[in-house]
Each structure stands twice: as structure tokens, then as C-alpha cells.
Amino acid sequence: MKSFKKVALVLVMAVLIAGCDDFGDINVDPNNPLEVDTSLLLTNAERSIGVNEVGGVQVTVVGATTGAIWTQYIAETQYTDASQYSNTSFDFNAWYTGPLKDLQTIIDLNTDEETRVRAAVDNGSNANQIAVARILKAYFYHFMTDRWGAIPYSEALEGRDNLTPSYDSQEFIYEDLVNELNEAVAQIDDGPGVSGDILFSGDMDQWALFANSLRARIALRMADANPTLAESEFSDAVDDGLITQNVMYPFLADASNENPWYTRFRTRTDYAISDVMADYMLDLEDNRILMYANPAPDLDNGDAEVTFDEINGMPYHAENAGDITNASISFPGSAIGAGGPNVGEQNADIPILTLAEMNFAQAEAVERGWITDDAEQLYNDAIEASWTQWLGVFDEDEFNTYISQPEVTYSSAEWEERIGTQKWIALFPDGYQAWAEWRRLDYPEFILPHEFALNQSGEIPVRHVYPSSEAEINSENYEEAVSMQGPDTPDTHLWWDVE
């Protein structure tokens, strides 16, 4: 009997050992898989264009409030710290650990010989995945450098191999961004388009047009700092083909990916349409204000139609903002999802890059002698594209009356003012792009908050101050960046912002 038990034990052990092939992965954490689905990484990176959360920090490009406040689209109704510039220091770390890390991982997985075959299964060809990741990296880096100037770039995203990356000058970053976009478009192949793409559903032709249009935007931004490169890249981007439809961020009727302006008005009413924007547009009877703003409750006649006499902007520099009642002012309209207190469109799209912007850009390029075309027609086409963008706004007779007004009619002698002002209106609600264009063209002429400003100069900031962690943790490279660029203050002009 003892012998039988021994034999039985040996057989049991043999069976267990034979089945141990699956135990080779016993040290693999199932909650942290080694093989990452690149389509999920792409979706997560794209979400940071709309709104995403990285390590408890909200990151967003088109849904941000600071740029919209600094360009006087929006006024604060209670706490006016942002419009008084009390905080000009912002943290950029979530961009590196969030979307940029995701995109770099896509590139690495599709490049490494040990992972590239698996990465291409159901996710798009290796080349197309890399191309899209490079385009989006350029998009995010451009957004970042236009906020802070010199930033970690060439040594960024190295992870534990380099926890204190050096900063690259904005000039270097700009030159490299146009190279990245050129190479990314050239890399696109005839293989399957990318999966997990919530912007273009894997349409690689649309990605190429988007990249060309980003290159045109970047080229124009450096027009006064490096006109030779700017002209070459802009004209080449136009020749290669620009977007043919507005690129919008597609929010959902779901709390996990809803319009951030809708979110802000769930329980609060902190932001109203500013009197700066409202008064300017009302004076010109610009129909877009009927979509940008809701009726002030005290002025609402009760029907479904919004009229000019129902709009009243919030004083941008109110000394005691809390004394102004919600009923007397207009809140952001349904066009951007806010819809006023506790109502709105949860899934309202927000523009990323528009036909209006590209037409304005080409009109300016004509004035600079970069391309041959009709600047006035491109300018009018840009305004028309903006009117058409907002459903229910465009009426041909009203439009022709609008562009015939002396303050709107195109003037080649005053193209900076005309394009700068109309571009400001058309870029709403994308405050960061509007802020960049205001810094570059110096139009429109905003009201300055000298009396109530909390920053030292009393001027509208022209850059963001670096996060305090950089001076503490990455001090040597931080000091080199400051030495290269200028004082780490909100008054230091960026490379392309030629004074």
C-alpha cells in the first residue's frame, strides 16, 4: 500500500509538472500587461485634445479655460483670479506622462523587431501607426512650446534613462516639428489605417491633410522669426493640400467623454461671455454671437429664438464680479456645449482646426508674398466658413451686409488688424490658438487690466511660467533654459513673438 501511495504521488507530481508550461508567466502582473494595445494608446492620446485626466491632473487643448479668459472670450462671474493673472505658472509634466508617452510607446512598439508584428495586428500598418503618432506628437509639442517656449524636447520621453532632460530652444523645436510632419506624411503607406482613431476613423488621407495644415499653422507662426523657412514650408504645405473640412473633437453624450464646457455648468456658473467679445460682435450685428452666447435671463423674451437685444456680456474687469447677477448676463451658448446654467449640449463638438483658420492663413500668406492668390477673397471665404461652421448662422444677404461694413471690409493696407480681429472671432472658443495669434499679430486691441491685475507688470501674459518643480528637480537644465530664453516670467516674449 505504501508503494502504491508513492507511485500515485509521483504520477500526480508528473502531471503537475507537465502542465507547468503556463507557469512561465507566473511573475507577470495581469493588471499590467507587457503587450499594450496600440489602438487604446492612440484613443487615450487623442482624448487629451478634448479633455483627459493624467495622474489626477486634467489635460486639454481645445477645452481649456485659461486661454479663453486671457483672450477675453470669457469673463469670470465670481472668482476673477485668472483674468487678473494671479497665476501664470502651469505644470507641463502631465503632457509628458500622458499623451506624449502614449504616442512614443506606439512608435516604439511599431519599431522594435520583437513587437512590431504583434503591434500591427488589427491596429493598422506599422508605418501608418508611427506616422499618426508623429503627427500627434508634433501637435502636442507645438501647443506646449507656444505656452512655455523652450521645453524638454529632444531628451524628453526617455523615462528612467533620463529624469532630468535638457531644454531645447523654441527655434530648434519649430524647425524639427516641420521636419517631423513632412517625414510623417511621407511615411504613410497603402496598408491598413490606424485603429482607435476617434478623429478620422483611420482615414490616412485625412491624416495627411491634417499634418499639412498643422505645418501651415506652424510656418505662419514663425513668419517674423524665420521668414525664409516659414515661406518655404507654408507654400509647400498648401501645394501638398490642406484640410477640406473642419476638424472637430467629437465629444460624446456620456460623462466619460463629454464636452468640458457642459461639465463646468453642471453645478456652477463661473464663466460668462465677456462684454469685450459680446459688445464688439453686437456692434457689427455678427450673427455668430447668437450661437456663442445665450440670452441673459432678464432680457430673454421667452421664445426659442436668440436675438441681439437679449445678449449682454459680463464686464471683463468688474471690480466686484459677485455683485453682478446671473440673470443680467449671457452665458456661453449651445454652440460650444455650455448652454448657460445647467443646460447645454453634452456632445457638442469643439473645433481643433478649421477651414476659416486656413483661409485666413492663406490670405496673410498672399500679403507676405508667399503665395499668389486673392487675399480679399480668401479673407471673405474665411469669414463665410466661420459663419457656416455654426449651424443656423449663415444667411447670404446678412453676410454680404456684414462684410460690407467699414470695420470688416478687407483692407490690404491694414491686413494685420483685419485678419487678426476676424481670426480672433473665428477661433472661438479655442483660447490658446487665439492667444498665440494675438501675440503674433497684436490684434485685436484688448483692454488691459492695469488697475486690477495681480501680476507684477499688469500686462496680459505672453507666456506661461515653468512649473516650480523644474527649478527644484531639474535645476541645471532649468537655469540653462532661462539663460537661453530670458527671465522665467509671464512677460518674456517667445522666439516667434517678435516685438
Side-chain angles (χ1 to χ4, degrees), residues 171-299:
E171 180 178 11
F172 174 84
I173 294 170
Y174 258 66
E175 291 175 358
D176 198 64
L177 290 179
V178 294
N179 289 335
E180 279 291 297
L181 290 169
N182 274 312
E183 292 177 10
V185 171
Q187 189 174 10
I188 294 173
D189 65 17
D190 294 329
V194 293
S195 299
D197 175 18
I198 60 177
L199 298 184
F200 301 113
S201 301
D203 188 330
M204 299 310 299
D205 290 336
Q206 293 300 315
W207 274 107
L209 296 178
F210 180 61
N212 296 338
S213 301
L214 285 179
R215 185 155 55 99
R217 173 190 278 179
I218 293 169
L220 192 66
R221 193 78 32 96
M222 60 176 166
D224 295 323
N226 190 341
T228 301
L229 179 61
E231 176 180 358
S232 173
E233 290 297 335
F234 188 94
S235 59
D236 188 57
V238 172
D239 289 342
D240 288 346
L242 305 179
I243 57 170
T244 57
Q245 58 189 13
N246 296 323
V247 180
M248 311 289 286
Y249 186 88
F251 291 102
L252 302 176
D254 186 282
S256 64
N257 192 21
E258 68 184 11
N259 184 297
W261 289 102
Y262 178 91
T263 305
R264 292 176 187 122
F265 281 91
R266 279 184 181 276
T267 58
R268 303 184 64 88
T269 55
D270 291 336
Y271 308 103
I273 291 294
S274 83
D275 60 343
V276 178
M277 165 163 272
D279 291 351
Y280 187 83
M281 296 179 73
L282 288 171
D283 286 345
L284 296 172
E285 294 192 347
D286 188 330
N287 282 357
R288 288 171 290 185
I289 193 61
L290 305 178
M291 297 295 289
Y292 291 0
N294 272 351
D298 284 347
L299 302 177

Side-chain angles (χ1 to χ4, degrees), residues 308-321:
F308 293 129
D309 59 1
E310 295 176 324
I311 304 296
N312 185 44
M314 170 78 186
Y316 186 75
H317 290 312
E319 184 173 3
N320 297 299

